């Protein structure tokens, strides 16, 4: 086969992503730290411990990110470090975050900062966390502090990571702290409170930093009825997909709460986003009428499934989810995309096939501006502890030694060449050669 290359635009952002609790270590004032201490909460009772040791030395992984040729990184701030007690702000913690952000700028890595990524200060939990309306003022005040102390180093912001995942895991599945406390009624209060927190943070940032780009990171899952299902099942799967994937975004776009019923107006919410962050991992089937689990983790024959039955590798779903975001009419960043794959069996093909879908979206003029691979380095995977490894860099948790995975070397080649090439495919995923480079028009393929 002749040499072929799928080029990305010159200003495309090539990134990686992490979250504070998952990499920093010793986040002792966080609800997740307390949760880990309880028997049976985390798979095999794993502890986050030093995590990936970022609080002491984020710089070594940032050096690796530079070598990889990336120019962007998404990270989050740990609220419980910045405000360990209500109204008590920790100057040393803020100074360390300044150092980390500055370290990125020094390496020409543009930071995208998430204010809330699943973990809460313990004191907030005592006040009812997101199921209580008091959270909105607290979140606004925390945001104002971050804007004031760190804002000059942050060009891109995410207010809240995956709000619907948070609500589901925290209140309904109970696998996040504080384990189902509040249940459905907590969840129904948390949704509007999360929307109000988002709006408050958006305006707090924009007032002081009008040039800042502020968005949301939305987990989008392909939710489908199984092949051959009845029309009713397909309709039900469609409704569930709207609820999980679109309800939050419709609310933010139109300034109204759509769930459970009615269209209550939420002040200052309409249009409060400058870009959309798309976190994409997998597709799930919906069992309707529910036989066993409503959301099934059983796959059709032939599916490629990642470690721990996490999910099916389904690259075209990324393209479908990009299309699902077009009605919201803003630039799109792929703020997370990755695969748990300790032995690195799947990650190289995963990266190539998913980036192929991003490239295809761009070739249709869809406004996809960047890609942040989850994750730069192996990190603490919430309730699944250390059992699932998403890193381009492999971490030995005991010794803190690192090794660039083979798929990390592929990502390095992609970032340096700003393209997918047939040589990369030949080297890292030969069976994909035909699939990835077949049928492109001559202007898109260099022979
Ligand atoms: C979360 C990450 C998590 C990743 C892999 C995303 O939903 O934002 O924190 O590690 O999925 O499961």
């Amino acid at each position: 086969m002749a040499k072929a290359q799928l080029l990305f635009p010159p200003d495309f952002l090539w990134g990686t992503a992490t979250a504070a609790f998952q990499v920093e270590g010793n986040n002792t004032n966080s609800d997740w730290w307390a949760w880990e201490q309880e028997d049976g909460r985390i798979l095999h009772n794993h502890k986050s411990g030093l995590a990936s040791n970022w609080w002491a030395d984020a710089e070594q992984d940032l050096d690796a990110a530079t070598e990889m040729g990336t120019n962007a990184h998404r990270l989050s701030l740990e609220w419980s470090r910045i405000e360990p007690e209500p109204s008590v702000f920790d100057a040393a913690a803020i100074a360390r975050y300044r150092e980390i952000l500055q370290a990125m700028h020094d390496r020409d890595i543009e930071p995208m900062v998430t204010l809330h990524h699943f973990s809460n200060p313990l004191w907030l939990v005592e006040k009812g966390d997101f199921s209580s309306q008091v959270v909105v003022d607290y979140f606004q005040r925390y945001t104002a502090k971050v804007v004031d102390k760190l804002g000059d180093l942050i060009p891109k912001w995410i207010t809240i990571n995956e709000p619907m995942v948070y609500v589901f895991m925290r209140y309904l599945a109970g696998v996040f702290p504080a384990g189902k406390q509040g249940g459905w009624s907590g969840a129904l209060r948390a949704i509007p409170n999360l929307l109000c927190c988002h709006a408050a943070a958006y305006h707090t940032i924009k007032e002081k930093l009008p040039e800042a780009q502020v968005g949301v990171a939305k987990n989008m899952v392909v939710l489908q009825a199984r092949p051959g299902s009845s029309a009713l099942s397909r309709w039900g799967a469609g409704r569930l997909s709207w609820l999980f994937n679109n309800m939050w975004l419709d609310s933010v776009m139109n300034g109204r709460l759509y769930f459970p019923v009615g269209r209550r107006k939420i002040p200052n919410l309409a249009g409060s986003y400058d870009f959309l962050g798309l976190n994409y991992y997998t597709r799930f089937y919906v069992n309707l009428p529910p036989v066993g689990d409503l959301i099934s983790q059983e796959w059709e024959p032939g599916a490629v499934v990642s470690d721990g039955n996490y999910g099916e590798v389904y690259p075209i779903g990324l393209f479908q989810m990009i299309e699902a975001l077009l009605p919201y009419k803003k630039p799109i960043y792929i703020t997370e995309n990755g695969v748990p794959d300790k032995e690195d069996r799947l990650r190289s093909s995963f990266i190539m096939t998913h980036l192929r879908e991003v490239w295809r979206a761009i070739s249709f003029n869809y406004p996809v501006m960047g890609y942040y691979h989850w994750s730069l380095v192996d990190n603490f995977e919430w309730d699944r502890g250390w059992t699932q490894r998403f890193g381009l860099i492999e971490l030995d948790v005991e010794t803190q030694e690192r090794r660039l995975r083979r798929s990390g070397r592929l990502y390095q080649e992609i970032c340096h060449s700003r393209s997918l090439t047939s040589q990369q495919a030949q080297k890292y995923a030969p069976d994909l050669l035909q699939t990835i480079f077949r049928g492109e028009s001559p202007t898109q393929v260099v022979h």
Side-chain angles (χ1 to χ4, degrees), residues 397-409:
V397 184
E398 297 303 314
T399 62
Q400 284 294 323
E401 268 166 43
R402 278 126 161 98
R403 195 180 60 86
L404 188 63
R405 288 195 163 98
R406 191 170 148 75
S407 55
R409 293 207 293 279

Side-chain angles (χ1 to χ4, degrees), residues 22 117 161-162 219 281 310 336 374 381-382 384 390:
Q22 296 179 269
H117 195 124
N161 180 64
E162 300 185 351
N219 183 298
Y281 289 90
Y310 179 86
E336 285 183 33
W374 184 277
E381 184 53 30
W382 308 114
R384 296 179 297 273
F390 283 82

Side-chain angles (χ1 to χ4, degrees), residues 21 26-42 45-49 122 177 380:
F21 191 87
N26 281 331
N27 266 314
T28 52
N29 291 314
S30 157
D31 57 349
W32 267 93
W33 188 270
W35 186 247
E36 274 171 43
Q37 312 312 315
E38 292 178 23
D39 195 35
R41 296 301 192 188
I42 312 290
N45 283 332
H46 282 170
K47 302 274 185 282
S48 62
L122 273 171
F380 187 73

Side-chain angles (χ1 to χ4, degrees), residues 13-150:
L13 290 182
W14 294 95
T16 49
T18 54
F21 191 87
Q22 296 179 269
V23 293
E24 286 178 357
N26 281 331
N27 266 314
T28 52
N29 291 314
S30 157
D31 57 349
W32 267 93
W33 188 270
W35 186 247
E36 274 171 43
Q37 312 312 315
E38 292 178 23
D39 195 35
R41 296 301 192 188
I42 312 290
L43 199 54
H44 307 313
N45 283 332
H46 282 170
K47 302 274 185 282
S48 62
L50 277 183
S52 324
N53 204 27
W54 269 42
W55 199 244
D57 193 3
E59 285 79 351
Q60 67 168 315
D61 288 331
L62 294 175
D63 283 341
T66 311
E67 261 173 53
M68 232 177 253
T70 60
N71 56 8
H73 181 76
R74 174 176 174 230
L75 73 167
S76 74
L77 305 176
E78 182 66 28
W79 184 356
S80 67
R81 271 195 200 278
I82 292 182
E83 192 178 2
E85 300 290 335
S87 313
V88 177
F89 292 92
D90 184 335
I94 293 170
R96 175 64 185 136
Y97 278 126
R98 272 203 83 79
E99 242 172 46
I100 296 176
L101 292 167
Q102 188 57 53
M104 288 182 194
H105 286 282
D106 294 346
R107 289 161 177 76
D108 291 326
I109 294 177
E110 185 192 76
M112 177 189 277
V113 167
T114 307
L115 288 166
H116 185 273
H117 195 124
F118 294 165
S119 53
N120 297 310
L122 273 171
W123 60 261
L124 185 74
V125 178
E126 280 160 29
K127 294 179 191 292
D129 64 79
F130 285 90
S131 60
S132 161
Q133 240 184 347
V134 298
V135 70
V136 182
D137 284 347
Y138 288 125
F139 193 66
Q140 195 272 334
R141 189 178 64 182
Y142 154 63
T143 304
K145 182 59 90 181
V146 173
V147 168
D148 185 35
K149 299 289 181 195
L150 303 170

Side-chain angles (χ1 to χ4, degrees), residues 282-332:
T282 192
R283 143 169 91 172
F284 288 121
Y285 289 109
V286 180
N287 281 332
L288 278 172
V291 182
D293 291 335
L294 178 61
I295 308 287
S296 161
Q297 268 176 297
E298 282 166 36
W299 321 105
E300 292 290 308
V304 177
V305 179
S306 55
D307 288 359
N309 206 27
Y310 179 86
E312 178 187 5
V313 176
Y314 188 60
I316 200 173
L318 178 53
F319 185 85
Q320 293 164 352
M321 295 298 100
I322 291 170
E323 287 201 316
L325 292 184
L326 297 178
Y328 303 101
K329 294 189 187 326
K330 289 285 160 87
I332 298 166

Side-chain angles (χ1 to χ4, degrees), residues 404-423:
L404 188 63
R405 288 195 163 98
R406 191 170 148 75
S407 55
R409 293 207 293 279
L410 165 64
Y411 195 54
Q412 179 159 8
E413 289 187 25
I414 293 172
C415 292
H416 280 287
S417 69
R418 263 80 180 121
S419 62
L420 297 174
T421 67
S422 50
Q423 293 98 310

Side-chain angles (χ1 to χ4, degrees), residues 337-402:
N337 176 234
V339 63
D341 181 26
K342 189 171 192 304
E343 303 305 330
D344 212 30
R345 298 173 297 127
L346 303 174
R347 194 173 289 98
S348 293
S349 339
F350 183 98
I351 291 173
M352 290 207 84
T353 49
H354 284 75
L355 277 171
R356 167 73 168 69
E357 295 306 316
V358 174
W359 177 86
R360 192 155 74 91
I362 295 171
S363 78
F364 284 6
N365 273 335
Y366 296 164
V368 187
M369 319 302 284
Y371 175 88
Y372 298 72
H373 188 80
W374 184 277
S375 175
L376 175 56
V377 59
D378 282 345
N379 53 50
F380 187 73
E381 184 53 30
W382 308 114
D383 56 307
R384 296 179 297 273
W386 292 102
T387 61
Q388 293 193 334
R389 304 302 185 99
F390 283 82
L392 295 166
I393 301 172
E394 181 179 10
L395 174 74
D396 181 324
V397 184
E398 297 303 314
T399 62
Q400 284 294 323
E401 268 166 43
R402 278 126 161 98

